[in-house]
Amino acid sequence: MTAVRGTTVDVPTQDGSADAYFAYPDDGAAHPAVLLYMDAFGLRPQLRTMADRLAGAGYTVLVPNVFHRHGRAPVFALPEFISDADRPALFEQIVPVAGGLTGDVVARDAAAYLDWLAARPEAADGPVGVSGYCLGARLALLTAGAHPERVAAAAGFHGAGLATDAPDSPHLLADRITAEVYFGHADQDPSMPPEQIERLDKALTEAGVRHHSDVYAGADHGYTMADTDRFDAEAAELHWTVLLDLFGRTL
């Protein structure tokens, strides 16, 4: 693994400054850029660790605090280890804030993040990859649909509500996507039931999007996050394998 440099940065958006974590190989070269979207618990040490691992594999990675309108990270007071007992009180705070991330807001912020990356000397010219977790999987799909000319690969892991009956469901942007897309679902995840997985795959297939999805057996929603009790080491390592394969093919 390459030596990595990581730092906190501020990214200007149309709605104020977004704090973010920025990680890149410490070799003076430009590397393919990746936008990494956090889960609902927010930008914290676990996300920085994941960004560092991706940077160590040869990518320049930006992890924005997507809740920046509500303050700098951590927006919510989190325990070092998030248990099921912690979740109800946390989600009482998180759900209203996450609800403000409409499709228009996400597209606008994504443009700012992509512009910022494009201007960085650490980021190579050309299209970027996007990876998202939980809430971030929705943001990854929306970003690929809103900025098809800029996103070559999009991946989502234990995503929630990606293909609902709502008029603004992310899967409805499938016909705008030009990226190669991957989803790693969890079979113990009630927020992305089999009928939604089927609806998402059908929309991507009908739109001619290169895509693949897996359902990780025995995995819970949140299986990539080592600072929660939903972590599944085997599923998390599989996620790294498929993510690096996707970015290696496309970026």
Side-chain angles (χ1 to χ4, degrees):
M1 296 284 278
T2 306
V4 167
R5 182 168 293 189
T7 184
T8 299
V9 297
D10 290 290
V11 178
T13 79
Q14 290 185 36
D15 300 308
S17 183
D19 53 309
Y21 182 67
F22 184 50
Y24 51 92
D26 191 16
D27 59 5
H31 294 270
V34 171
L35 181 56
L36 194 159
Y37 280 125
M38 64 189 218
D39 64 351
F41 293 128
L43 179 52
R44 60 193 192 283
Q46 169 65 21
L47 272 295
R48 295 183 183 95
T49 297
M50 294 170 76
D52 287 349
R53 179 164 175 176
L54 199 48
Y59 297 94
T60 291
V61 186
L62 181 70
V63 192
N65 166 23
V66 303
F67 297 151
H68 62 86
R69 291 168 183 83
H70 300 269
R72 297 179 72 84
V75 175
F76 310 106
L78 299 171
E80 282 190 26
F81 186 83
I82 301 166
S83 72
D84 273 358
D86 299 313
R87 288 173 186 266
L90 284 171
F91 277 110
E92 274 189 30
Q93 304 172 67
I94 292 169
V95 168
V97 171
L101 293 174
T102 63
D104 287 345
V105 167
V106 172
R108 197 163 67 233
D109 277 0
Y113 304 146
L114 294 170
D115 285 347
W116 188 90
L117 275 168
R120 295 294 302 201
E122 302 89 350
D125 292 338
V128 306
V130 184
S131 184
Y133 302 85
C134 171
L135 161 80
R138 172 179 170 268
L139 306 186
L141 188 56
L142 291 173
T143 297
H147 303 285
E149 73 289 352
R150 306 180 77 168
V151 178
F157 300 92
H158 47 85
L162 300 178
T164 70
D165 294 325
D168 60 349
S169 177
H171 79 287
L172 298 174
L173 291 180
D175 61 352
R176 298 183 57 185
I177 293 171
T178 58
E180 183 175 343
V181 174
Y182 175 86
F183 289 101
H185 306 293
D187 74 345
Q188 304 299 307
D189 186 354
S191 66
M192 193 62 194
E195 58 269 22
Q196 283 199 46
I197 294 173
E198 183 179 347
R199 185 182 293 149
L200 176 60
D201 281 338
K202 183 172 185 282
L204 293 169
T205 298
E206 289 179 351
V209 177
R210 290 167 298 148
H211 71 282
H212 183 76
S213 64
D214 291 314
V215 180
Y216 296 2
D220 282 310
H221 180 82
Y223 61 79
T224 60
M225 297 297 158
D227 63 347
T228 79
D229 57 5
R230 302 286 180 88
F231 179 62
D232 183 315
E234 185 178 350
E237 282 306 308
L238 177 57
H239 129 268
W240 282 114
T241 299
V242 296
L243 183 63
L244 292 172
D245 283 350
L246 173 67
F247 288 166
R249 281 196 306 276
T250 55
L251 299 185

